[in-house]
């Protein structure tokens, strides 16, 4: 083998666009797509839509204090060793500094949760947010999966006697599943073997190596065996040598690195066209959905994530045919480089042997390398699109879960229906069920039922109606709007709002709902859930499996494992960051706290039922199954309502004192009688409330926060505190500020869009100005519920910085579910029920 040249530098094909004299090169004419016209998608120049800030490699100086880099160095010991450094590859793929990646690997290995790391280990991660941590974690798991599968394949091939030194090295170089499949495919059990393998079995491998290393002594005619198939003549011998050489070229790391880098500098496009079979036999309605992609072409560097997912769906439905087009210039330059540089023979090559070498390179490109590149491009595009779709789902879910609650109101939840009536549920300001009923508003009994509704609203002093957005929603909304306009419920000033009921039906028949509301009909449980979604969105929505909430994009086309892991992580993040009052929260909500699970949450509830409310965080250590690690992860996210504890302690003070005296007297009597020492008393601190338990300050920082504190107010600004870890100081101050704001200052939360009138679809016209609520957000636009039964779309190009609130300007140029907006109608397509909107401002 010739001397291996210096390794080429490689990047992802979606990385920096390297300028080249051939950057404007047209796609290959050897691979046209169907149709005469090709639509070329231009690069999007719109503002970034609802995406987190790009994680640029950060400087060594953290913006919020000096980072702690030395958590053990950047070298990390992995279970399955590869020829690449997992820290470096992780850094390249996530664009996060290597020292941060090394720290995160160790933190994840120590079973730290994302909420705990994001809040209490900022100095080790350079202040990355939860989404960035989740991306690093998922990429790390993917790399480990590749390494594990590689070593499994190595052991299998070794056992079968197929593992050679070159194959072993090639396998350890694999960084993706596509590379691993490319290298290992010929050796899998049941494979007929490749052309190269069959040629090697005929004994032609020495001939192929001789052509490269010692061509002067190379003699093809010496391998001819007239009675052997594959060696019968010179043409068959040449073909066998060519197949072996092509296989060598296609599996050489430097050769593959060169072609990948070359593709970065060229115009590589993905094309889709209407499949011939679908155009004849397909469902016209389904085919029309993919009209934009019947003749579509776009540079792989510019194509949008939703376009990839749409193309993939069309291909799976056999409506579209998809291909990656690589220009002929890439092939020509690659072949020249291989023949004249990388695989240039050590000695002079005769013309007939040079022909074999050229044919081998072209065969390697056409038969092996080009299909590999296409698979890699498609896989990378699909993987990125799926990840973005899942991340978008997560961002929408987070915003929905963190919708501001409407507290202090008695609510009437309405689950609309036709034949089986509208289910009603009235709940108290503390979410207790006060009354349930069924009314038939759409079967000619509307006037009579109005009296019942009025009586119920006045009986329970309820002035807020929450209507689910399912079947019969618009008719039910019109019914209530008409009564409100006529002031039928006077003297009550009744308002109503529409809320998504996605997942309510599924939850109403779940075991959790049966346990929570055992005596209630499942149809009425959904009305209770609808009302509680306004009163406490987080506590209610965590009861529903995230994928049923319906705020995603192409959620059925992405990896369900990745989707579930991400959404569960987002729920855990939201519940943890908001915090839960351990003495009143439900078991379902508690199991989503970082570090806890179903069993531990159940143990906490059982301890609470047996011993009464928790007084402070230290008592968590008494719960079965909550060891030091679990306590560390969950303690900072658990809250204690001091007023509730004081009330409980006051009512139990006499009883507790009597019990303590009796216990002490009994212990003394037993000790005197048996001549033994007294048992160890319970520490008094375990029965004393701690003011810091109301905050998100972690118990590991209590000693810092409590130094020289001013009575009644914990503000540690003394010299000893300031000399402590700056990140700890920052975390403590932020926690205290949030606590003070929550108690005293925050009063202007975004409320649901309560209304007293309705607009019908027929009332819409171009130029109409309306208010609505964001229903779902996608990379191509935002869907807004404007109260006409069909959500309108604000294209992403209409969302500009000037139209967003100041808060949004500081975060990202995007909108999320639940936000109220003022919009103008740009187009109304009545046959297709499509509404295009323009964003005026965020309310």
């Amino acid at each position: 083998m010739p001397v291996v040249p210096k390794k080429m530098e490689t990047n992802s094909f979606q990385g920096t666009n390297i300028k080249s004299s051939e950057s404007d090169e047209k796609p290959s004419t050897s691979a046209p797509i169907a149709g005469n016209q090709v639509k070329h998608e231009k690069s999007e120049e719109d503002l970034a839509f609802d995406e987190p800030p790009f994680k640029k490699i950060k400087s060594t100086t953290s913006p919020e204090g000096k980072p702690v880099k030395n958590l053990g160095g950047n070298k990390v010991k992995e279970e399955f060793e590869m020829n690449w450094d997992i820290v470096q590859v992780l850094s390249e793929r996530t664009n996060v500094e290597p020292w941060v990646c090394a720290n995160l690997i160790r933190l994840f290995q120590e079973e730290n949760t994302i909420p705990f790391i994001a809040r209490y280990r900022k100095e080790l991660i350079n202040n990355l947010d939860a989404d960035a941590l989740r991306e690093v974690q998922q990429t790390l798991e993917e790399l480990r999966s590749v390494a594990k599968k590689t070593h499994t394949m190595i052991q299998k091939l070794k056992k079968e006697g197929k593992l050679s030194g070159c194959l072993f090295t090639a396998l350890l170089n694999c960084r993706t599943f596509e590379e691993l499949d490319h290298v290992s495919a010929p050796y899998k059990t049941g494979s007929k073997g490749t052309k190269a393998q069959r040629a090697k079995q005929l004994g032609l491998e020495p001939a192929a190596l001789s052509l490269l290393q010692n061509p002067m002594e190379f003699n093809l005619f010496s391998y001819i065996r007239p009675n052997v198939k594959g060696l019968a003549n010179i043409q068959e011998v040449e073909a066998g040598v060519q197949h072996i050489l092509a296989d060598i070229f296609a599996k050489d790391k430097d050769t593959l690195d060169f072609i990948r880098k070359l593709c970065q500098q060229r115009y590589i496009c993905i094309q889709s066209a209407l499949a011939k079979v679908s155009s004849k036999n397909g469902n016209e309605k389904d085919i029309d959905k993919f009209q934009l992609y019947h003749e579509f072409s776009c540079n792989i560097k510019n194509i949008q994530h939703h376009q990839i997912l749409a193309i993939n769906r069309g291909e799976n439905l056999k409506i579209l045919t998809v291909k990656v087009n690589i220009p002929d210039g890439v092939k020509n330059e690659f072949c020249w480089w291989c023949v004249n540089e990388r695989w240039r023979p050590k000695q002079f090559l005769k013309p007939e042997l040079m022909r074999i070498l050229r044919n081998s390179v072209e065969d390697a490109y056409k038969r092996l390398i080009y299909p590999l590149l296409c698979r890699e491009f498609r896989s990378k595009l699909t993987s990125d699109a799926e990840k973005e779709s899942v991340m978008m789902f997560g961002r929408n879910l987070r915003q929905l879960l963190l919708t501001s609650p409407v507290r202090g109101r008695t609510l009437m939840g309405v689950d609309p229906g036709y034949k089986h009536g509208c289910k009603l549920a009235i709940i108290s300001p503390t979410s207790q069920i006060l009354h349930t009923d069924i009314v038939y508003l759409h079967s000619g009994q509307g006037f009579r039922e109005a009296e019942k509704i009025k009586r119920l609203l006045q009986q329970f002093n309820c002035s807020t109606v929450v209507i689910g957005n399912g079947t019969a929603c618009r008719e039910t909304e019109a019914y209530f709007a008409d009564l409100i306009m006529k002031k039928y419920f006077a003297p009550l000033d009744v308002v109503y709002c529409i809320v998504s009921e996605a997942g309510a039906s599924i939850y109403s028949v779940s075991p959790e709902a049966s346990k929570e509301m055992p005596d209630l009909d499942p149809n009425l449980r959904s009305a209770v859930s609808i009302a509680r979604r306004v009163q406490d969105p987080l506590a209610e929505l965590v009861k529903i499996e995230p994928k049923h909430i319906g705020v995603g994009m192409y959620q059925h086309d992405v990896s369900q494992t990745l989707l579930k892991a991400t959404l569960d992580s987002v729920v855990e993040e939201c519940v943890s960051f908001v915090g839960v009052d351990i003495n009143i929260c439900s078991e379902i909500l508690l199991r989503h706290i970082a570090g806890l699970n179903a069993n531990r949450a159940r143990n906490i509830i059982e301890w609470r039922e047996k011993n009464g409310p928790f007084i402070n965080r230290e008592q968590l250590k008494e719960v079965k199954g909550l060891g030091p690690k679990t306590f560390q992860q969950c303690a900072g996210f658990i809250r204690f309502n001091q007023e509730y504890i004081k009330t409980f302690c006051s009512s139990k003070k006499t009883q507790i004192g009597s019990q303590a005296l009796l216990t002490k007297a009994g212990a003394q009597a037993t000790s005197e009688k048996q001549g033994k020492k007294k048992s160890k008393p319970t520490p008094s601190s375990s029965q004393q409330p701690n003011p810091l338990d109301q905050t998100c300050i972690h118990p590991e920082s209590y000693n810092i926060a409590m130094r020289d504190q001013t009575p009644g107010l914990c503000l540690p600004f003394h010299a000893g505190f300031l000399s402590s870890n700056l990140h700890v100081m920052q975390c403590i101050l932020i926690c205290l500020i949030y606590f003070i704001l929550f108690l005293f200052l925050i009063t202007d939360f975004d409320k649901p869009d309560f209304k007293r009138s309705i607009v019908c679809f027929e009332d819409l016209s171009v130029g109409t100005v309306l208010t609505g609520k964001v229903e779902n957000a996608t990379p191509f636009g935002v869907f807004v519920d404007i109260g006409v039964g069909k959500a309108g779309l604000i294209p992403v190009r209409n969302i500009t910085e000037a139209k967003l609130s100041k808060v949004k300007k500081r975060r990202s140029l995007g909108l999320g579910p639940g936000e109220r907006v003022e919009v103008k109608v740009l187009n109304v397509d009545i046959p297709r029920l499509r509404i295009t909107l323009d964003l005026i401002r965020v309310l």
Side-chain angles (χ1 to χ4, degrees):
M1 294 291 289
V3 177
V4 178
K6 184 179 180 180
K7 293 184 179 179
M8 308 294 293
E9 294 181 2
T10 59
N11 295 303
S12 166
F13 70 86
Q14 284 189 318
T16 306
N17 185 12
I18 304 175
K19 295 183 179 180
S20 170
S21 58
E22 296 184 42
S23 60
D24 296 327
E25 185 175 3
K26 299 298 181 183
S28 170
T29 56
S30 62
I33 65 171
N36 298 326
Q37 299 292 329
V38 176
K39 298 178 182 178
H40 291 276
E41 186 75 11
K42 294 184 179 180
S43 175
E44 283 286 343
E45 296 181 355
D46 293 317
L47 295 167
F49 178 77
D50 200 22
E51 295 183 355
F54 184 65
K55 300 185 298 302
K56 295 181 179 179
I57 297 294
K58 296 186 178 181
S59 63
T60 55
T61 302
S62 171
E64 297 170 354
K66 186 176 180 180
V68 179
K69 292 188 177 183
N70 192 16
L71 193 63
N74 286 358
K75 290 295 181 181
V76 177
K77 182 70 174 178
E78 286 291 310
E79 181 180 0
F80 301 103
E81 293 292 334
M82 301 291 285
N83 282 352
W84 37 268
D85 180 15
I86 193 169
V87 173
Q88 192 61 38
V89 175
L90 186 62
S91 176
E92 291 172 359
R93 292 195 180 181
T94 60
N95 207 19
V96 174
E97 285 189 317
W99 68 269
V100 176
C101 291
N103 286 347
L104 281 172
I105 291 174
R106 292 186 179 89
L107 288 168
F108 289 138
Q109 284 176 340
E110 294 168 0
E111 300 182 349
N112 291 287
T113 61
I114 286 179
F116 177 80
I117 296 172
R119 174 166 287 175
Y120 300 114
R121 295 294 182 265
K122 291 178 180 292
E123 73 280 7
L124 298 179
I125 61 171
N126 214 8
N127 299 288
L128 291 183
D129 60 19
D131 282 338
L133 296 179
R134 197 171 294 114
E135 181 183 353
V136 172
Q137 186 181 47
Q138 291 170 356
T139 305
L140 176 63
E141 291 174 355
E142 183 180 328
L143 290 173
R144 284 176 171 166
S145 297
V146 171
K148 182 177 180 180
K149 187 175 180 180
T150 298
H151 280 263
T152 301
M153 180 61 65
I154 288 173
Q155 293 300 321
K156 181 181 178 183
L157 295 176
K158 185 177 181 180
K159 186 177 181 181
E160 296 172 354
K162 300 178 182 178
L163 187 65
S164 64
C166 294
L167 178 58
F168 179 71
T169 302
L171 288 170
L172 292 181
N173 286 335
C174 295
R175 301 186 181 191
T176 65
F177 288 114
E178 290 72 34
E179 291 181 22
L180 181 59
D181 290 340
H182 174 69
V183 173
S184 62
Y187 305 95
K188 292 181 178 178
T189 305
S191 174
K192 296 180 180 179
T194 63
K195 294 180 178 180
Q197 282 182 309
R198 293 195 289 270
K200 289 178 182 179
Q201 292 172 358
L202 294 172
L204 292 177
E205 186 173 14
L209 297 177
S210 179
L211 186 146
L212 296 173
Q213 297 174 351
N214 194 14
M216 297 298 293
E217 299 179 5
F218 181 60
N219 183 6
L220 279 177
F221 291 94
S222 63
Y223 291 92
I224 296 177
R225 303 289 185 271
N227 298 326
V228 179
K229 185 179 180 181
L231 301 176
N233 52 53
I234 190 65
Q235 289 78 18
E236 291 184 355
V237 173
E238 286 183 2
V241 170
Q242 176 180 309
H243 294 152
I244 294 173
L245 290 174
D247 185 69
I248 293 173
F249 301 158
K251 292 179 180 176
D252 178 66
K253 181 179 183 299
D254 294 285
T255 301
L256 293 176
D257 287 348
F258 178 83
I259 188 65
R260 289 178 181 128
K261 184 176 181 180
L262 190 61
C263 287
Q264 292 180 20
Q265 306 170 22
R266 299 294 186 268
Y267 182 93
I268 312 297
C269 66
I270 185 169
Q271 300 173 336
S272 66
L274 181 65
K276 295 181 180 179
V277 177
S278 65
S279 61
K280 296 179 181 178
N281 307 324
N283 186 313
E284 184 176 347
K285 185 177 180 181
D286 290 337
I287 293 175
D288 186 57
K289 292 179 181 178
F290 298 93
Q291 184 177 5
L292 292 174
Y293 304 100
H294 288 181
E295 295 178 359
F296 178 83
S297 177
C298 183
N299 189 336
I300 60 173
K301 296 178 182 178
N302 299 330
I303 193 166
Q304 302 297 302
H305 296 305
H306 66 274
Q307 293 172 330
I308 287 293
L309 295 175
I311 288 173
N312 289 350
R313 179 182 288 184
E315 185 180 35
N316 293 333
L317 295 174
K318 302 188 183 305
I319 295 175
L320 301 175
T321 57
V322 186
K323 64 184 298 184
V324 176
N325 198 348
I326 301 177
D328 292 336
V330 172
K331 172 189 172 183
N332 296 336
E333 186 171 345
F334 170 75
C335 292
W336 183 93
W337 178 82
C338 286
V339 172
N340 294 280
E341 293 188 22
R342 179 67 182 92
W343 300 104
R344 183 175 181 175
K346 294 182 178 180
Q347 301 173 0
F348 174 76
L349 210 61
K350 296 178 182 178
E352 59 270 22
L353 299 183
M354 182 61 75
R355 175 177 53 81
I356 294 176
L357 180 61
R358 290 196 181 99
N359 291 341
S360 300
V361 171
E362 291 185 2
D363 179 49
Y365 177 83
K366 181 180 179 181
R367 184 167 56 87
L368 301 173
I369 296 177
Y370 176 80
L372 172 65
L373 292 174
C374 292
R375 289 195 302 271
E376 287 183 347
F377 288 145
R378 290 292 304 276
S379 176
K380 182 70 166 62
L381 289 170
T382 299
S383 176
D384 289 347
E386 286 189 355
K387 288 179 181 177
E388 176 56 30
S389 176
V390 170
M391 293 297 285
M392 175 66 74
F393 200 139
R395 290 194 290 270
N396 289 343
L397 177 62
R398 180 190 296 109
Q399 186 143 349
L400 191 63
L401 291 175
L402 297 181
T403 301
S404 298
V406 177
R407 302 191 186 279
R409 295 195 190 196
T410 300
L411 303 177
M412 174 184 280
V414 182
D415 183 10
Y418 291 114
K419 183 177 179 181
H420 300 289
C422 297
K423 278 68 69 178
L424 306 180
I426 299 179
I427 64 173
S428 71
T430 57
S431 294
Q432 300 300 313
I433 302 173
L434 302 177
H435 182 79
T436 58
D437 214 323
I438 299 178
V439 292
Y440 298 88
L441 307 181
H442 313 301
S443 56
Q445 305 178 44
F447 180 77
R448 186 181 66 183
E449 299 288 33
E451 283 295 324
K452 179 193 287 188
I453 295 173
K454 180 179 180 179
R455 184 172 66 254
L456 290 174
L457 292 176
Q458 291 180 343
Q459 177 182 347
F460 295 100
N461 193 27
C462 175
S463 60
T464 306
V465 178
V466 183
I467 304 172
N469 68 345
T471 304
C473 167
R474 298 304 152 186
E475 292 82 355
T476 305
E477 181 184 12
Y479 177 86
F480 276 94
D482 182 60
L483 293 177
I484 291 172
M485 289 286 289
K486 296 176 180 178
K487 300 187 181 301
Y488 182 80
F489 301 116
L492 292 177
D493 183 17
V494 176
V495 295
Y496 76 90
C497 72
I498 307 296
V499 67
S500 171
E501 63 176 46
S505 298
I506 296 175
Y507 167 70
S508 64
V509 295
S510 67
E512 288 82 2
S514 299
K515 183 178 179 181
E516 184 181 5
M517 298 173 277
D519 301 326
L520 210 58
D521 183 87
N523 293 318
L524 294 171
R525 292 173 188 164
S526 60
V528 175
S529 177
I530 287 170
R532 286 176 174 172
R533 290 185 183 200
V534 172
Q535 194 172 71
D536 194 346
L538 180 60
E540 191 63 26
L541 291 175
V542 296
K543 302 174 183 177
I544 301 166
E545 194 172 352
K547 67 180 182 181
H548 295 311
I549 294 179
V551 288
M553 175 191 70
Y554 293 99
Q555 66 187 74
H556 300 295
D557 297 286
V558 303
S559 167
Q560 295 303 299
T561 303
L562 175 64
L563 179 64
K564 185 178 187 309
T566 301
L567 298 185
D568 288 346
S569 178
V570 169
V571 173
E572 180 185 70
E573 171 199 335
C574 292
V575 175
S576 298
F577 284 178
V578 171
V580 299
D581 189 331
I582 194 171
N583 289 319
I584 62 174
C585 70
S586 66
E587 181 181 326
I588 297 176
L589 187 62
L590 196 59
R591 69 177 61 158
H592 290 288
I593 286 290
L596 300 183
N597 53 29
N599 290 333
R600 291 165 183 163
R602 190 181 309 113
N603 291 341
I604 290 175
I605 298 298
E606 290 176 357
W607 192 100
R608 189 175 73 188
E609 292 173 349
K610 180 180 179 181
N611 301 284
F614 288 86
I615 306 300
N616 54 42
R617 285 172 173 162
E618 283 296 314
Q619 285 185 302
L620 288 169
K621 297 178 180 179
E622 301 174 14
V623 178
K624 180 182 176 182
L626 263 70
K629 191 65 181 181
T630 302
F631 178 79
Q632 180 196 44
Q633 298 300 304
C634 73
F637 307 113
I638 289 176
R639 307 284 185 270
F640 295 78
N641 187 313
Q642 298 297 315
E643 294 300 323
Y644 178 84
I645 294 173
K646 287 178 181 178
T647 302
F648 176 83
C649 291
S650 298
S651 64
K652 297 291 183 180
K653 186 174 182 180
T654 305
Q655 181 180 353
I656 292 174
S658 300
Q659 288 178 348
L661 290 173
L662 289 173
T663 302
K664 183 177 180 181
Q668 288 176 344
T670 303
S671 176
E672 291 173 358
K673 184 176 181 180
Q674 298 181 356
K676 295 182 179 180
K677 294 182 179 179
K678 298 179 183 179
S679 58
K680 184 178 180 180
T682 304
S684 59
S685 60
S686 65
Q687 297 296 328
Q688 295 178 358
N690 189 329
L692 293 179
D693 288 344
Q694 299 178 83
T695 73
C696 58
I697 299 174
H698 198 278
E700 65 186 10
S701 302
Y702 278 6
N703 60 330
I704 299 176
M706 295 294 289
R707 290 178 192 169
D708 304 329
Q709 61 173 337
T710 302
L713 185 62
C714 183
L715 294 176
F717 286 112
H718 54 84
F721 176 79
L722 293 175
S723 64
S724 303
N725 189 303
L726 294 178
H727 287 273
V728 175
M729 177 186 72
Q730 179 201 26
C731 180
I732 292 173
L733 292 180
I734 290 176
C735 293
L736 292 173
I737 290 171
Y738 283 173
F739 176 64
I740 294 171
L741 289 175
F742 180 78
L743 289 179
F744 304 111
L745 303 180
I746 297 179
T747 56
D748 189 21
F749 286 116
D750 290 334
K751 296 297 190 298
D753 191 13
F754 296 115
K755 300 181 290 184
R756 293 179 174 81
S757 62
I758 187 173
V759 178
C760 300
F761 193 91
E762 292 75 16
D763 294 336
L764 292 179
S765 61
V766 175
T768 302
V769 176
L770 302 164
T771 60
K773 183 169 63 175
V774 175
E775 189 175 81
N776 195 8
T778 68
F780 55 85
V782 172
F783 290 95
V784 179
D785 182 0
I786 54 175
V788 297
K790 185 71 176 179
L793 174 67
I794 305 177
V796 63
R797 62 177 176 274
N798 292 344
I799 303 174
T800 61
E801 186 176 5
K803 299 177 182 179
L804 299 174
S805 64
K806 293 182 179 180
V807 174
K808 278 291 174 183
K809 286 180 182 177
R810 292 197 298 267
R811 293 175 59 190
S812 63
L813 299 183
L815 299 169
E819 292 195 73
R820 295 178 60 216
V821 293
E822 186 176 30
V823 296
K824 180 172 70 175
V825 178
L826 296 180
N827 182 51
V828 180
D829 187 345
I830 296 180
R832 295 184 178 182
L833 294 178
R834 293 179 180 175
I835 309 166
T836 306
L837 306 171
D838 183 25
L839 175 65
I840 297 177
R841 64 191 178 97
V842 179
L843 301 176

